[in-house]
Every structure is written in C-alpha cells, then in structure tokens.
C-alpha cells in the first residue's frame, strides 16, 4: 500500500501537465501580443520625433547659414529639395525608418515639394504630416501652421489632428 501512495505523489499526471502547458502558452501569447503593440507604438513615436528633428535641423541650419534653404519629406525621410533653386538645409538625409521596421511606416502629408525656411529660420510653408505604423491603431500627426511656422503634435482621428 505504501508503494501506491509514493507513486501517486511522485509527479504530475498527463492531464495536469497538459493544463499547465496550456496556461503557460496562453500567458506567453498575451505577453507577446501586448509586447508587439508596445513596440509598434514606440516605432511610431520615434518616427514622429524624427519628423520634428528634421524641422528643427532645417530651422537651425537656415539660421546658421543666414540665408533661405529648403528640405523635402518623402517616405524615406527628410532630404534636400529636388530643384527649386534653394540649397538644402540638411548636411545629410535624415531617414524616418530609423528604429522602425522597413516598410512598417506609413507616411502621408500635404506639404509642398520643398519646405522652405527663411534666413532667420522661420518656416515659410505649412501642412500636415500623418504617421502610422503597422501593429497599432494609433496614428500621429504633425501640423505646421502659418504664418509663424508653429509646429504641434497630436493624434490623427477622423480626418483631423487632435491635440495629444
């Protein structure tokens, strides 16, 4: 009789083991899903900061040069303008995919082909940039308002940029 009791308390039954594995798999799945969403949100925030960094670099460079210059925004990021007669405000391109998986960033904007800065660094053009990253429903927007080139960041909802 003692042998049967020793065997019964010696380990887990197959059913108990399967339940434990199922619970662990469920917890791992939940953690992975929320981790992926968090990563997508961080990628979106990084891309938003890089849009703002390009604008800041353009302002600063125009002030340093003491003459007007321009930058252009494409799916790849900030770069010098294609033609137009104004020099680039950037020493080198500033990619928006930095820290974001290739192709994961969706960028739309209504900016002109070349975003111009005055000789003292004022933004002469305006528009809205909308950023989205696969894996999160959150969308960010950057609005450049005229006449002073004031920039604000918000959440893109229902076709407008709401303050963050």
């Amino acid at each position: 009789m003692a042998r049967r009791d020793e065997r019964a308390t010696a380990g887990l039954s197959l059913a108990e083991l399967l339940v434990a594995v199922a619970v662990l798999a469920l917890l791992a799945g939940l953690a992975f899903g929320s981790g992926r969403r968090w990563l997508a949100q961080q990628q979106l925030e990084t891309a938003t900061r890089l849009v703002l960094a390009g604008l800041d670099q353009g302002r600063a460079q125009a002030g340093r040069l003491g003459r007007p210059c321009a930058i252009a925004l494409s799916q790849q990021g900030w770069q010098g303008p294609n033609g137009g007669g104004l020099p680039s405000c950037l020493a080198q391109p500033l990619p928006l995919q930095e820290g974001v998986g290739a192709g994961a960033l969706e960028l739309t904007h209504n900016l002109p082909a070349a975003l111009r800065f005055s000789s003292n660094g004022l933004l002469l053009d305006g528009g809205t940039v909308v950023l989205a990253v696969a894996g999160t429903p959150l969308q960010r927007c950057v609005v450049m308002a005229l006449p002073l080139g004031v920039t604000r960041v918000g959440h893109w909802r229902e076709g407008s940029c709401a303050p963050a």
Side-chain angles (χ1 to χ4, degrees):
M1 187 93 168
R3 285 187 183 166
R4 184 180 294 172
D5 290 338
E6 287 175 12
R7 263 189 276 144
T9 60
L12 298 174
S13 70
L14 181 59
E16 293 170 329
L17 183 61
L18 289 176
V19 168
V21 168
V23 168
L24 287 175
L26 179 65
L27 291 174
L30 289 173
F32 180 72
S34 63
R36 189 172 44 194
R37 188 175 314 116
W38 178 83
L39 179 62
Q41 288 174 348
Q42 293 307 307
Q43 291 170 335
L44 181 61
E45 294 302 320
T46 299
T48 304
R49 284 189 201 101
L50 289 169
V51 167
L52 294 171
L55 293 170
D56 289 342
Q57 286 182 17
R59 283 187 182 104
Q61 184 66 8
R64 274 193 297 276
L65 293 173
R67 61 187 167 126
C69 59
I71 56 177
L73 182 61
S74 71
Q75 193 68 31
Q76 290 73 36
W78 291 110
Q79 54 204 2
N82 293 329
L86 287 176
S88 175
C89 295
L90 300 175
Q92 60 186 6
L94 180 62
L96 294 183
Q97 300 285 345
E98 202 77 21
V100 179
L105 177 67
E106 294 177 36
L107 170 79
T108 56
H109 64 82
N110 63 356
L111 301 175
L115 201 58
R116 302 168 299 152
F117 294 89
S118 69
S119 57
N120 60 357
L122 286 177
L123 186 60
L124 300 175
D125 301 298
T128 302
V129 178
V130 179
L131 301 154
V133 173
T136 179
L138 180 64
Q139 293 183 322
R140 300 289 276 175
C141 50
V142 178
V143 177
M144 289 145 274
L146 294 177
L148 299 176
V150 175
T151 305
R152 70 177 172 89
V153 177
H155 296 284
W156 186 255
R157 293 189 190 112
E158 300 173 12
S160 67
C161 191

